[in-house]
Structure formats: structure tokens, C-alpha cells
Amino acid sequence: MKTETISRHDFFRLVGTSVGVILLSNSSMGCSNQSGGDPEPVDQNIDFTLRLSDQINENLRIKGGYIVANNIIIAQTKDGQFIAVSATCTCATQGTLLAYKPADNQFYCPQHLSRYDSAGKVIVGPATQPLVKYQTGTGKSADTLRIYL
Ligand code: FES
């Protein structure tokens, strides 16, 4: 019985090529093959108030800061405006939590790098569906922030 041998160099060249092809095909797919379905139903009853002096909301007292409450990401822009959009990326069903980038006044997804403007519109995919935009306003006192549809 004859056995074939392969040099170490050839082995790593072949394996490296295979791994590279697999990684490239996975990253180029992103989540675009999972988006485009029906968007999540929007809860029309969203209406709640945050007390800005509560420690859990302290990031909202800072320009550029943000928090996530009730699956909504609420941010204070560098201009001092409050904005609120749904907190999970629309790209896939996995529900990746977004982050707010105050320098660009945008929301971005760390998973496949989709970006949304301050109103929730997709700027950069692979996401195709916009975020739900919520209204913000002062509550019954100046220390409160109301989030509603
Ligand atoms: S999960 Fe794909 S861009 Fe957010």
C-alpha cells in the first residue's frame, strides 16, 4: 500500500485557503439573508416616564449619554435633545442591542455594523428596516423624561 505525503508548507497552504474561504463567505453574508422579513409588531401602548435624578438614569444627564429601558434606547444628543428608538437591530432575529454614537448622532450595531440616524432610518446596512422612533418630552416635572409613541 502506497501512502502519499504532503509537505508541511503545502498542508498549511491548503488548510489556510479553506479556512479563509469559509470565514470570508460567513462575514460577507452578514445578516442580509435574514432581514427583509416582516418587522416586529410595534407596541402602541408605550408611554412611560423616567426620573432623570435616579442613579440608573444618570447617563441621560450627560450630553452624549444613553440608556436602554423597556427595549428602547434613549439618548441625550450633544445638543441636549433627547431621542429614543427601538433598541435592537432590525438586521436579524437575534436582537442585537444597539449603541449610540454621539459624535455622529447615530445608532450602530456591533454585530454587522449597520447604522441608523437619530430618527431610526437605516444609513448603512445590512439592516433594511428602520427602527421604531419614539417621542420624548418632559414629564410632570423638569426632572422627568416621558417616552411615548
Ligand atoms: S444584527 Fe446584523 S447589523 Fe445588526
Side-chain angles (χ1 to χ4, degrees):
M1 181 171 135
K2 182 179 177 186
T3 58
E4 287 191 31
T5 59
I6 184 169
S7 75
R8 183 182 185 144
H9 177 265
D10 287 341
F11 172 78
F12 283 112
R13 185 173 52 82
L14 289 171
V15 171
T17 301
S18 301
V19 170
V21 168
I22 292 168
L23 290 175
L24 187 61
S25 66
N26 280 342
S27 66
S28 67
M29 285 188 331
C31 54
S32 59
N33 62 337
Q34 300 166 2
S35 63
D38 292 334
E40 290 281 317
V42 177
D43 183 353
Q44 300 293 327
N45 298 318
I46 289 290
D47 190 347
F48 62 95
T49 302
L50 299 172
R51 185 179 308 280
L52 297 175
S53 59
D54 287 351
Q55 187 169 2
I56 197 168
N57 300 326
E58 68 182 344
N59 280 353
L60 282 179
R61 297 195 298 267
I62 305 165
K63 289 183 178 176
Y66 71 94
I67 67 163
V68 175
N70 297 332
N71 205 28
I72 296 172
I73 185 167
I74 305 145
Q76 182 180 170
T77 67
K78 289 193 314 182
D79 299 333
Q81 303 292 315
F82 288 103
I83 55 177
V85 294
S86 47
T88 51
C89 186
T90 61
C91 162
T93 55
Q94 63 213 61
T96 304
L97 199 59
L98 300 172
Y100 176 65
K101 211 170 192 177
D104 302 323
N105 195 26
Q106 294 175 355
F107 300 95
Y108 75 96
C109 175
Q111 184 72 22
H112 306 114
L113 308 179
S114 286
R115 296 167 72 116
Y116 304 85
D117 70 10
S118 60
K121 184 179 151 210
V122 176
I123 298 171
V124 176
T128 58
Q129 299 292 325
L131 303 171
V132 177
K133 181 180 184 339
Y134 295 91
Q135 304 298 314
T136 61
T138 51
K140 291 183 178 160
S141 74
D143 177 43
T144 56
L145 179 67
R146 182 177 169 220
I147 315 296
Y148 59 101
L149 258 183

